[in-house]
Amino acid sequence: MSEPYAAAAIEGGPVAGADALVRCPWAAGSQLYREYHDTEWGRPLHGRDALYERLCLEAFQSGLSWITILRKRAAFRAAFDGFDPEVVAGYGPAQIDRLLADATIVRNRAKIEASIANARVIVEMDEPGLDALLWSFAPTGARPRPTAVAEVPAVTPESTAMARELKRRGFRFIGPTTAYALMQATGMVDDHLAGCWVGDASEAGKAASAFRRTGR
């Protein structure tokens, strides 16, 4: 089971909130979780810098609660120059020391150095670049929406293949579980449970789009 499900330590199906909207159960824990669930998680995300940020945050989350990362997200962005790979790739010992002294982020040397190393890999990549590479592992075709937390996987063949390829290219601190969490967070997969209002809205939007294309 991947984040944020694992961090929430919950089971079962979707639950109704005080606003009467039915959500995945992990979103019931805090307003920050609800906002993230409603506006970001499971929605397609593109762009080199945005995806690099998510790679970094998923790596920093390893071993911690996802809510910890969400609370520190603004501080991470400030500390890592907006997660611009071109800038972070140029970090040296002085910047590493600065980050290790910054109490507003997660001060883990291995994760900090991995973020810098990954930025260097990204800026040296040939076209089509990070966006196309990551999205090439997105599953194709329809699949049943999970109905309960127990049906949400932690690892899939696609996330295993993604992690293997990223490691081959020199990326650090991303295994199959972290890769699947990244896929969930960026909409490569949509693990909103059946009955969750976000998932239902997504299905309705797809149906409407199909109708516009085909007229049926």
Side-chain angles (χ1 to χ4, degrees), residues 58-190:
E58 294 294 346
F60 273 103
Q61 179 277 321
S62 180
L64 302 172
S65 168
W66 183 242
I67 195 71
T68 298
I69 302 303
L70 287 180
R71 288 169 178 157
K72 293 177 177 287
R73 193 173 182 182
F76 270 114
R77 285 173 171 168
F80 280 88
D81 288 292
F83 287 105
D84 181 339
E86 300 281 352
V87 176
V88 179
Y91 283 7
Q95 286 78 17
I96 293 174
D97 289 343
R98 170 179 63 80
L99 293 167
L100 287 171
D102 189 343
T104 67
I105 66 169
V106 176
R107 294 180 289 180
N108 179 296
R109 179 179 288 275
K111 295 176 181 179
I112 289 170
E113 292 180 348
S115 297
I116 297 169
N118 292 346
R120 291 170 180 165
V121 174
I122 290 168
V123 299
E124 293 172 2
M125 288 176 65
D126 295 327
E127 292 299 331
L130 181 67
D131 190 310
L133 172 64
L134 294 180
W135 275 89
S136 72
F137 295 98
T140 58
R143 64 172 187 163
R145 190 174 293 280
T147 61
V149 174
E151 298 176 12
V152 179
V155 173
T156 63
E158 293 87 357
S159 75
T160 300
M162 176 190 284
R164 184 186 302 118
E165 176 61 16
L166 292 178
K167 183 176 181 180
R168 185 189 72 80
R169 289 171 176 263
F171 284 84
R172 302 183 194 174
F173 237 101
I174 181 163
T177 301
T178 300
Y180 192 67
L182 175 72
M183 295 173 80
Q184 289 176 311
T186 58
M188 297 176 200
V189 296
D190 181 356

